[in-house]
Amino acid sequence: MRISIPSELVDLLRNAQHVAVLTGAGISAESGVPTFRDAQTGLWAKYDPQELATPEAFRKNPRLVWEWYAWRRELVSKAEPNPGHQALAELEKFVPQFTLITQNIDSLHTRAGSQNVIELHGNITRTKCADEGHFVTTWEQQEEVPPRCPYCGSLLRPDVVWFGESLPYEALKKALEAAQKADFFLTVGTSALVQPAASIPLLAVERGVTTVEVNPQKTPLTSYMDFYLPGPAGEVLPVLVSAVLGAK
Ligand code: OAD
């Protein structure tokens, strides 16, 4: 695939003082982590993530939800960051201020070396209890699934945001601040269908700063962006970032 990056865009990114990036599941697709709205494969193909990632689903069938997340945790632990994650980690080293806002729960940005990462939807590697939010790192193997919290006895669950739950306050606050201050905003691999994350790039649009989207498919955000770079993040981002770093 031939990727062409407008030279005007390279100049704008090279001169940016604060770059903010919003990523979604698409950036991890090339690491083998399935996106949410693409067809699921294998054992869990018949389950819709939107039906499992809710407090109601957990109340109704905690075992099913726990096992689905255990499967995803296993998948994510075997996945490796791809050139898209690595390109963003490289870019961070060259930009005076850099904020990476992610909807992903897979830790792949951090594992690629990104430093200033805001996780809007939590992290699948952390486990907390359902009632009091105690963080738990180990638990005894129990007959009962999910296991229970050693402190309060409530059921354990992943520390991720489910549909209908609030986003972590500090993370959302920092993400909004970044979108209100950045002079360059890059959106990568999100369908921009889930709020409030989907509206974050619009704060940058409203301020008239440079906005860019990387995604093989157009999204509700595309028409608002100054630049749309169609294609997989693992191919487009390395080309964009080397053009910028090469031009330094
Ligand atoms: P989605 O699954 O909704 O969207 C994935 C996006 O990635 C789509 O727009 C694809 O076109 C794009 N895509 C696919 N492959 C790509 C690639 N190689 N490079 C770049 N883009 C690619 O995922 P999100 O937008 O992240 O929330 O979904 C948002 C939230 O909804 C998730 O965080 C999750 C979900 O349900 C919670 O769990 C709370």
Side-chain angles (χ1 to χ4, degrees), residues 40-115:
Q40 303 289 300
T41 51
L43 206 56
W44 293 93
K46 62 187 162 126
Y47 293 101
D48 177 353
Q50 297 211 56
E51 282 169 21
L52 290 179
T54 67
E56 292 74 31
F58 188 69
R59 268 197 296 276
K60 208 167 109 199
N61 195 340
R63 183 184 193 115
L64 176 72
V65 174
W66 175 266
E67 286 178 346
W68 184 61
Y69 276 97
W71 171 75
R72 288 182 62 202
R73 197 184 301 120
E74 175 78 10
L75 192 132
V76 157
S77 72
K78 289 190 190 135
E80 293 296 332
N82 68 53
H85 299 105
Q86 283 150 1
L88 292 180
E90 276 306 299
L91 183 62
E92 180 170 12
K93 295 184 199 153
F94 288 87
V95 174
Q97 207 181 337
F98 189 91
T99 310
L100 177 44
I101 307 158
T102 188
Q103 299 167 84
N104 299 344
I105 57 177
D106 57 24
S107 299
L108 290 177
H109 285 303
T110 310
R111 286 174 53 201
S114 286
Q115 301 286 319

Side-chain angles (χ1 to χ4, degrees), residues 142-164:
Q142 299 166 357
E143 285 282 302
E144 197 183 6
V145 178
R148 288 191 176 269
C149 174
Y151 307 109
C152 70
S154 70
L155 296 178
L156 297 184
R157 57 162 284 182
D159 183 25
V160 299
V161 176
W162 285 333
F163 286 97

Side-chain angles (χ1 to χ4, degrees), residues 24-26 30 36-37 103 121 161 163 189-191 194 215-217 233:
E30 290 152 273
F36 290 88
R37 269 151 275 273
Q103 299 167 84
H121 291 166
V161 176
F163 286 97
T190 177
S191 59
V194 176
N215 195 316
Q217 312 283 334

Side-chain angles (χ1 to χ4, degrees), residues 3 5 23 27 83-85 87-88 186 188 214 229 232-243:
I3 295 155
I5 312 280
T23 64
I27 195 166
H85 299 105
L88 292 180
L186 176 61
V188 184
V214 176
L229 304 176
E235 295 178 32
V236 175
L237 290 176
V239 175
L240 172 66
V241 171
S242 28

Side-chain angles (χ1 to χ4, degrees), residues 1 14 23 33 41 53 62 85 98 172 188-189 208 215 222 244 248:
M1 179 182 171
R14 196 174 63 216
T23 64
V33 182
T41 51
H85 299 105
F98 189 91
L172 182 59
V188 184
N215 195 316
T222 312
V244 171
K248 274 228 168 218

